[in-house]
Amino acid sequence: MEKPPPEKSGSFSGHNVESHPPESEAEGELEDRENAKESSSISDSALPQVSQDIDGFLSHLSLHDDKSNPPDVPDSVEVFCKLVEAMIGNYDSGDSSARFGQVPEEDTAFVESVGRISKLMNALRGFPVESPAAAMYGRSGSVLQRAMSFLEDELRTLLEDSRSHISDSKSLKTKHPSFNSKEDHDRCPLPESESTGDDEYPAYPPEVVASMKKIAMAMISAGYETECCQVFSILRRNAFKEAINKLGFDSISIDDVQKMHWETLEGEIAKWIKVVKHCSLILFPGERRFAESVFEDYPEIFSSQFSNLARATVIHFLNFAEAVAMTKRSAEKLFKFLDMYESLRDLVPAISSPTSDDNGHELKSETMTAGSRLGEAAVSIFCDLENSIKSDVSKTPVPSGAVHPLTRYTMNYLKYACEYKDTLEEVFQQHQKIERTDEAGSDVDERSSQNNSRLPVKQTPFATQLIAVMDLLDSNLDTKSKLYKDMSLRYIFLMNNGRYILQKIKGSSEIHEVMGDTWCRRRSSDLRQYHKNYQRETWSKVLQCLRDEGLQVNGKVNKPVLKERFKTFNTLFDEIHKTQSTWVVSDEQLQSELRVSISAVMIPAYRSFLARFSQYLDSGRQTEKYVKYQPDDIETSIDELFDGNPTSMTRKRT
Amino acid sequence: MPATEYQGSFLGRISIRRNQIASMDGNHEQDLEDLEIFQKHVADRFSDLLSASDATADASVDPLLSIAWLRKLLDVFLCCEAEFKALVFMGRDPSHIARPPLDRLIPELLERVVKALDVCNAVTHGVESVRHWHKLAEIAVTALEQRPIGEGQVRRAKKALSSLVASMTVEDKESINSKATERAWSFGRRGSKDRIAGQFRSLSWTVSKSWSAAKQIQLMLGNIAAPRGAESTGLASPVFVMSIVLSFVTWTLVAAIPCQERSGLPTHFPIPRQLPWAQSIIGLQDRIGEDWKKKEKKGSAGLLEEMQKMEKLGQSLIEFADSFHFPAEPERVEEVAAQVTELAETCRKMEEGLGPLQQQIREVFHRMVRSRGEMLDILDQAGKVSSPIM
């Protein structure tokens, strides 16, 4: 505290002790400015002694109960008032090195003196109007008001001068070493910053926070809590609003959101998500730490400051979320809705009030309500998949037995949806009741209870819904397969689609987990069955041509029958080749499995038939006529099946 | 308030009967009776609200446009809304709703609901400004309740009140002229004028840039038409009643509480004067409309009773502060004490009422969102019924 008096020294006694309090603060300021330099030095030297005198007087007053008998007021009281005024004047002198926050020890001395003035005023209250004590009550009240007014402005300046801070991502990390040393630094371009910016809370420098804390304490303990909180809350709200606008978020009316095209709205949603995440991860936690350090000794004030700020900010996020959840539901919106739901869910801990005040509690429940609205919409969109499958009733079969667009659409949708599996589970849990009232719900229940052995996995509401969708897709595909008159093609269609479904499920661990191994095994065996059925349907007739029965009469080969057999075989095989090479099996493995299994049956049978019976045909022209194919040709032809390429001019037949 | 009492019986009545009569078209005679009861309830509820404007002397009645009165108004809205839904939708076959003229009237009502939702949000932001003024008034009360009143207290009070009165004006100027008006008034010693004025802007965070409360109300009222002829005994009637109730409630909120862009707020509603159920609404509308015209001339921040009181007392106390010398004359002190007590009372009403009011506005908001969803579902179902999937 004891420091050499800076600059000019002046004389305290030069002041008129009897001077009336200035008419207004503006005048007081003028007067102080004139005297600022001279009084500043005195404050340093005289303050400890005068403070001691005041403390003595205060303890004397505390014993003085009789209000009708006013005590004598020592000169030190007026001297002390002058000292405090001089300190304010000094801070306000325009000399930047003298500003509040520059010399922490001086600030502490000032804040302590203000506390003393406040005590003094309260102790001098209630004495007869004409007494010097009453006059000093008025005087100390004025000084206190000036000090408070000064501190309020100072707090505003501290909060505001760093305002560019929170909104300017470039300066996010910048510390302001010269924070208080330049009167007009807020007009200076901000110093360069090495930080990437966006990922950090734009904190005030610690020394500034310390100054704010000092001011807050001084104001609150002198009964100026409301002023202090008002300044703090308004300026922090401004800062948040700017930061959020800068991140690209603008409020849009609910009316406008309803009229927006999805593409435009999607862009707005993306901005919203970015801002909400930034708030959850950076801004709110940072603000919480900041407010906590300023109001460290006043947890309730801190708590209400924080939750008020959170409310003022978050309410805009919620309005947008509500507006989006109100828009017409459609399949493509599901994923954005879930993204938004997740953002709100993650926002809740960031805004949860540190103490359980009503305001914070209410905001939390508002946030959850908005989230649940989005969740509800997501559930309804997802469940609507059932309707789109049900309503896909086209009567035209897909050419070549290929994978149906509905299968592709549904499976890709499910695969994508299952990337949100945990979130979907969550929203389905929350809105289970809504779904149960649906008739489809009871259907599913029945089905799953019948097949309990098949589905040992726990049946979460989402899993139930997913399985319902899969079953619905199955039965829809089954109906579609009946559009093919050719049984073989029907099985190819079922195999193609079944295979596609199974591959998709195996390729996504999320769906796989929900559907379970048992389900996959069952599907695989279904596929094997289709395969067998196809074999039987297409190739058993061909194989019959290659049988021994009926060829030999009395141990002799009947040549006309043999010729007929070869002819029939050739015709059948040609026909099959022509038709089935236009069919499509896009899954390479399935395609090769089919070919291999056909070859495995056909080639040995043909080879042995040929080996045994070709000798009965006359070599030369007859052989050429009836033995159209060598076993190798058969293999080559089989390898051309399911390519989707018409190898001959014949049109495919379904 | 009897509103909720008869509501229970009304809802019960409808739900019981609808369960009994499973006919597609309902029972016309019964419907007519229900409609009459509904209209009577609307009339009774609003006449309670109207009586507030006549009984100014009666302390037990909440004055027109006071916080407590607005909360009653919102209660009335919620009751009417519940009965409306019961009357039009409960237990009724969706196909009934899909027929003309309802296939047009219901979507129109839902359009109005969306606009009302935005108004609710704007008003919620407006309440934030009111809360701020409340804090400033509290500072003045704290300062002026101290005895004896000294120079410091007076200056503290004056500072808060000047800021209160000025920011009420800024708020209003901003919402009327839509662009920021930089008011020349001083707050702190070093506070540059526009800096301070700008600080309040965040409290009235906009709904969206060009949004205007007055415009929304105009649009809500724009296509309301009273049903005529045969329609007036059908379901078109409750839709009309509900449209009027909804528009009136939102309009009143906008008139009472500062909110974004209120210039050009309609002062007249398209209600035929002879409708018996509408008498009280017309009466209220005339009263508030007149007040609004006066307000527009005077340029005060809103018709909220507590705010008007605050503004009046604030100005008077500023005058006192301007002529203050320590020690104050006892007569002046007494006079001021009475005003301070009144201001403290107003603060107390705000302290107690603003939070619940804000919550209630949210409740109305959520209710409308829910109902809109339900009505859309029904329309959707009706649409599916009329074009069934094969």
Side-chain angles (χ1 to χ4, degrees):
Chain A
M1 278 276 235
E2 293 297 328
K3 287 194 298 181
E7 299 170 23
K8 268 196 289 187
S9 72
S11 153
F12 172 65
S13 58
H15 286 269
N16 179 6
V17 178
E18 294 299 301
S19 79
H20 274 287
E23 209 36 41
S24 75
E25 280 155 27
E27 280 173 37
E29 185 180 347
L30 272 179
E31 188 184 304
D32 289 335
R33 287 232 165 114
E34 284 162 20
N35 301 331
K37 290 285 159 65
E38 47 179 317
S39 30
S40 71
S41 56
I42 295 162
S43 62
D44 286 328
S45 50
L47 190 62
Q49 183 53 49
V50 181
S51 298
Q52 218 176 332
D53 293 350
I54 297 295
D55 289 345
F57 179 53
L58 279 170
S59 66
H60 170 70
L61 279 174
S62 68
L63 301 171
H64 195 100
D65 285 336
D66 184 5
K67 291 284 177 186
S68 61
N69 175 25
D72 288 335
V73 178
D75 288 348
S76 61
V77 174
E78 179 54 34
V79 173
F80 185 65
C81 286
K82 284 277 174 200
L83 277 175
V84 175
E85 281 179 327
M87 285 161 106
I88 299 172
N90 190 38
Y91 278 129
D92 257 355
S93 65
D95 177 357
S96 56
S97 65
R99 282 189 57 183
F100 195 91
Q102 285 308 292
V103 189
E105 301 78 40
E106 270 181 22
D107 298 341
T108 306
F110 175 66
V111 163
E112 277 171 12
S113 303
V114 170
R116 233 171 236 119
I117 284 277
S118 169
K119 278 189 209 141
L120 200 55
M121 183 191 86
N122 286 323
L124 288 168
R125 189 195 302 272
F127 291 108
V129 175
E130 305 305 327
S131 66
M136 276 329 283
Y137 162 78
R139 172 89 172 100
S140 57
S142 292
V143 175
L144 181 68
Q145 169 60 21
R146 276 195 55 201
M148 288 297 136
S149 194
F150 162 75
L151 287 176
E152 185 185 328
D153 283 343
E154 209 54 45
L155 180 60
R156 178 177 294 114
T157 308
L158 289 178
L159 284 163
E160 208 175 40
D161 283 355
S162 321
R163 207 171 44 171
S164 46
H165 237 205
I166 191 165
S167 53
D168 189 343
S169 59
K170 279 215 160 161
S171 68
L172 281 182
K173 210 180 178 176
T174 311
K175 301 286 183 227
H176 289 245
S178 60
F179 194 70
N180 274 318
S181 61
K182 270 192 240 154
E183 188 66 26
D184 58 347
H185 68 87
D186 54 345
R187 281 184 290 273
C188 290
L190 289 159
E192 77 304 320
S193 160
E194 305 92 57
S195 93
T196 51
D198 267 351
D199 51 353
E200 231 182 285
Y201 176 75
Y204 288 99
E207 62 277 14
V208 173
V209 176
S211 294
M212 290 180 190
K213 186 181 168 188
K214 247 177 234 170
I215 293 175
M217 275 180 78
M219 291 184 78
I220 295 166
S221 45
Y224 282 65
E225 179 187 322
T226 316
E227 278 96 335
C228 173
C229 291
Q230 284 293 290
V231 170
F232 191 85
S233 83
I234 290 177
L235 287 170
R236 291 317 292 160
R237 275 190 204 194
N238 281 345
F240 256 74
K241 189 186 166 189
E242 274 177 35
I244 280 159
N245 290 345
K246 206 135 204 165
L247 285 164
F249 179 74
D250 267 318
S251 296
I252 308 172
S253 74
I254 296 177
D255 205 9
D256 288 345
V257 169
Q258 305 311 306
K259 289 170 186 153
M260 230 173 229
H261 285 293
W262 174 240
E263 293 73 35
T264 321
L265 187 55
E266 244 183 327
E268 296 298 329
I269 290 176
K271 280 192 236 163
W272 181 93
I273 290 172
K274 187 176 144 209
V275 174
V276 173
K277 285 200 169 140
H278 190 70
C279 282
S280 312
L281 295 172
I282 312 289
L283 294 186
F284 283 134
E287 187 68 16
R288 188 191 290 267
R289 283 193 300 275
F290 166 60
E292 198 166 19
S293 26
V294 173
F295 297 104
E296 199 175 1
D297 302 312
Y298 308 92
E300 268 172 34
I301 295 179
F302 150 61
S303 170
S304 77
Q305 282 291 326
F306 179 76
S307 58
N308 281 335
L309 175 74
R311 185 187 162 82
T313 311
V314 169
I315 195 86
H316 297 277
F317 300 157
L318 301 187
N319 287 337
F320 181 75
E322 298 271 6
V324 169
M326 278 171 62
T327 59
K328 210 166 162 35
R329 285 158 193 188
S330 67
E332 76 271 22
K333 294 183 182 173
L334 177 67
F335 308 110
K336 286 284 173 226
F337 280 25
L338 290 171
D339 284 337
M340 289 180 79
Y341 171 88
E342 288 172 357
S343 305
L344 283 184
R345 181 192 59 199
D346 300 342
L347 180 64
V348 170
I351 55 171
S352 290
S353 177
T355 61
S356 56
D357 74 328
D358 285 349
N359 202 345
H361 188 74
E362 194 199 314
L363 181 61
K364 194 175 151 185
S365 83
E366 281 274 350
T367 308
M368 301 209 289
T369 306
S372 110
R373 207 95 78 194
L374 286 164
E376 200 183 318
V379 167
S380 132
I381 292 172
F382 189 80
C383 291
D384 204 45
L385 192 55
E386 281 193 50
N387 291 330
S388 11
I389 296 173
K390 277 184 204 153
S391 63
D392 190 308
V393 287
S394 72
K395 295 275 182 239
T396 334
V398 177
S400 324
V403 176
H404 197 278
L406 178 69
T407 312
R408 278 185 207 281
Y409 174 80
T410 308
M411 291 316 294
N412 285 321
Y413 196 76
L414 290 180
K415 182 172 178 270
Y416 201 3
C418 277
E419 285 172 22
Y420 291 85
K421 185 173 135 278
D422 295 341
T423 304
L424 278 166
E425 292 281 16
E426 206 173 297
V427 297
F428 267 89
Q429 294 283 4
Q430 283 164 15
H431 301 282
Q432 198 166 12
K433 282 202 188 79
I434 304 164
E435 280 325 294
R436 287 302 160 195
T437 58
D438 201 36
E439 48 178 284
S442 55
D443 257 0
V444 171
D445 277 347
E446 236 170 72
R447 218 173 352 206
S448 50
S449 62
Q450 278 171 2
N451 298 306
N452 260 345
S453 55
R454 180 186 106 198
L455 297 158
V457 265
K458 58 175 176 10
Q459 284 279 43
T460 62
F462 172 62
T464 311
Q465 182 60 31
L466 189 65
I467 289 164
V469 168
M470 292 303 304
D471 288 348
L472 206 58
L473 178 63
D474 268 354
S475 70
N476 186 301
L477 288 174
D478 195 57
T479 314
K480 286 190 174 9
S481 75
K482 302 211 164 89
L483 297 172
Y484 297 98
K485 301 212 172 50
D486 185 332
M487 287 299 280
S488 300
L489 185 53
R490 182 178 299 180
Y491 290 120
I492 291 293
F493 172 79
L494 286 171
M495 255 186 283
N496 265 329
N497 285 276
R499 182 80 179 189
Y500 185 85
I501 291 171
L502 201 57
Q503 289 304 99
K504 280 285 169 187
I505 286 177
K506 285 185 173 159
S508 150
S509 56
E510 286 91 357
I511 314 190
H512 196 170
E513 212 178 290
V514 180
M515 301 307 293
D517 283 332
T518 329
W519 189 90
C520 289
R521 274 198 293 278
R522 189 172 57 89
R523 293 308 316 237
S524 300
S525 91
D526 287 351
L527 285 181
R528 279 194 297 278
Q529 192 56 48
Y530 298 145
H531 192 148
K532 274 184 203 149
N533 293 352
Y534 159 79
Q535 287 267 28
R536 194 187 57 229
E537 208 51 60
T538 300
W539 298 102
S540 57
K541 260 180 282 169
V542 186
L543 282 173
Q544 268 178 5
C545 303
L546 304 180
R547 283 190 318 182
D548 292 358
E549 288 91 64
L551 272 179
Q552 297 185 8
V553 183
N554 304 327
K556 291 188 81 177
V557 172
N558 184 332
K559 272 202 192 176
V561 175
L562 182 65
K563 284 178 187 166
E564 199 46 44
R565 283 285 188 89
F566 270 111
K567 262 167 78 182
T568 316
F569 174 83
N570 291 341
T571 316
L572 281 174
F573 190 79
D574 278 350
E575 189 60 39
I576 289 170
H577 178 253
K578 223 182 292 170
T579 314
Q580 303 203 358
S581 59
T582 69
W583 294 359
V584 172
V585 173
S586 39
D587 184 86
E588 273 182 35
Q589 201 195 331
L590 179 62
Q591 194 186 48
S592 110
E593 275 170 24
L594 275 165
R595 287 171 182 166
V596 166
S597 76
I598 298 165
S599 299
V601 178
M602 284 308 299
I603 294 176
Y606 188 66
R607 202 185 289 280
S608 99
F609 188 77
L610 213 57
R612 273 180 292 149
F613 300 106
S614 61
Q615 50 184 312
Y616 297 102
L617 300 171
D618 301 333
S619 53
R621 277 189 57 213
Q622 241 185 14
T623 309
E624 248 170 59
K625 188 177 173 190
Y626 294 104
V627 185
K628 205 171 160 187
Y629 299 109
Q630 289 305 307
D632 287 352
D633 299 332
I634 296 289
E635 189 163 9
T636 312
S637 296
I638 289 174
D639 279 347
E640 283 165 6
L641 298 179
F642 317 119
D643 249 346
N645 308 317
T647 45
S648 68
M649 49 262 119
T650 351
R651 285 300 308 146
K652 68 190 164 68
R653 218 177 55 188
T654 52
Chain B
M1 198 161 165
T4 38
E5 271 171 45
Y6 41 61
Q7 168 160 34
S9 60
F10 182 74
L11 297 183
R13 178 192 150 90
I14 289 195
S15 78
I16 290 166
R17 241 212 4 270
R18 293 275 158 79
N19 282 333
Q20 287 165 347
I21 307 164
S23 106
M24 284 270 284
D25 294 326
N27 181 320
H28 191 65
E29 234 160 74
Q30 292 281 16
D31 275 353
L32 217 59
E33 206 181 315
D34 289 344
L35 175 61
E36 246 166 58
I37 298 175
F38 174 61
Q39 289 178 341
K40 185 176 179 314
H41 286 180
V42 171
D44 290 352
R45 288 182 182 130
F46 279 94
S47 102
D48 278 357
L49 289 169
L50 180 63
S51 67
S53 66
D54 305 326
T56 36
D58 185 354
S60 69
V61 179
D62 296 309
L64 187 72
L65 295 173
S66 62
I67 293 172
W69 187 88
L70 284 177
R71 292 185 54 197
K72 276 188 190 160
L73 177 72
L74 294 177
D75 269 341
V76 163
F77 173 79
L78 290 172
C79 291
C80 294
E81 205 268 350
E83 290 192 2
F84 165 75
K85 267 196 314 187
L87 182 63
V88 177
F89 295 99
M90 192 194 278
R92 214 180 275 278
D93 193 280
S95 65
H96 207 148
I97 311 298
R99 277 183 225 160
L102 286 190
D103 62 338
R104 175 178 56 84
L105 294 176
I106 301 277
E108 277 177 12
L109 174 65
L110 294 180
E111 280 279 297
R112 276 175 215 122
V113 166
V114 170
K115 294 185 167 56
L117 290 174
D118 279 324
V119 172
C120 279
N121 283 338
V123 170
T124 306
H125 305 332
V127 174
E128 287 296 312
S129 302
V130 181
R131 275 178 195 275
H132 173 66
W133 299 330
H134 165 224
K135 287 288 169 203
L136 292 172
E138 265 187 350
I139 294 173
V141 169
T142 311
L144 296 176
E145 271 177 347
Q146 291 192 35
R147 287 294 176 274
I149 299 179
E151 183 75 36
Q153 285 82 23
V154 168
R155 267 195 263 145
R156 184 181 181 189
K158 188 191 163 186
K159 183 175 170 182
L161 292 172
S162 310
S163 170
L164 166 70
V165 171
S167 81
M168 273 185 172
T169 323
V170 169
E171 180 73 48
D172 202 53
K173 282 279 185 299
E174 290 207 347
S175 52
I176 285 182
N177 299 334
S178 84
K179 64 172 184 208
T181 323
E182 248 117 72
R183 292 271 305 161
W185 52 279
S186 171
F187 191 80
R189 286 177 303 172
R190 265 183 282 127
S192 66
K193 287 138 200 160
D194 53 325
R195 183 173 86 164
I196 316 275
Q199 283 171 8
F200 300 110
R201 242 163 264 151
S202 66
L203 296 172
S204 49
W205 199 341
T206 56
V207 176
S208 82
K209 273 176 202 123
S210 58
W211 190 87
S212 145
K215 185 89 187 296
Q216 297 303 304
I217 304 276
Q218 280 167 19
L219 289 171
M220 285 175 77
L221 291 173
N223 56 355
I224 295 186
R228 290 178 205 197
E231 280 187 7
S232 61
T233 58
L235 288 179
S237 241
V239 178
F240 174 65
V241 174
M242 199 56 218
S243 294
I244 291 291
V245 168
L246 175 68
S247 308
F248 175 75
V249 170
T250 26
W251 175 78
T252 307
L253 287 175
V254 170
I257 296 167
C259 76
Q260 189 178 343
E261 192 60 60
R262 295 188 291 178
S263 65
L265 187 69
T267 48
H268 179 74
F269 274 53
I271 319 173
R273 298 240 152 200
Q274 71 279 8
L275 289 176
W277 63 266
Q279 291 314 306
S280 300
I281 294 185
I282 293 171
L284 284 167
Q285 195 264 310
D286 287 348
R287 261 295 299 272
I288 299 169
E290 279 311 305
D291 285 357
W292 178 257
K293 281 182 208 155
K294 276 184 233 155
K295 177 225 138 359
E296 280 211 305
K297 257 186 233 151
K298 229 175 66 194
S300 53
L303 298 182
L304 187 71
E305 216 260 339
E306 284 81 358
M307 257 166 58
Q308 298 207 19
K309 204 164 236 177
M310 217 169 236
E311 196 178 3
K312 203 186 83 208
L313 291 167
Q315 254 145 5
S316 161
L317 289 170
I318 290 173
E319 276 166 32
F320 162 75
D322 284 341
S323 61
F324 177 82
H325 281 289
F326 183 80
E329 312 94 71
E331 315 83 64
R332 283 294 274 155
V333 171
E334 236 169 83
E335 196 182 305
V336 163
Q339 289 180 347
V340 171
T341 311
E342 210 180 334
L343 189 59
E345 177 61 17
T346 308
C347 282
R348 190 188 58 78
K349 283 184 185 158
M350 285 191 164
E351 176 75 42
E352 285 171 6
L354 282 180
L357 177 66
Q358 214 166 12
Q359 263 177 35
Q360 216 175 351
I361 296 171
R362 278 314 270 179
E363 193 187 332
V364 165
F365 178 92
H366 289 310
R367 168 77 75 83
M368 287 196 286
V369 170
R370 281 244 161 260
S371 295
R372 179 182 171 276
E374 287 163 20
M375 290 189 227
L376 279 178
D377 281 348
I378 292 170
L379 288 179
D380 206 34
Q381 266 174 275
K384 273 178 192 154
V385 172
S386 56
S387 58
I389 300 157
M390 308 210 347

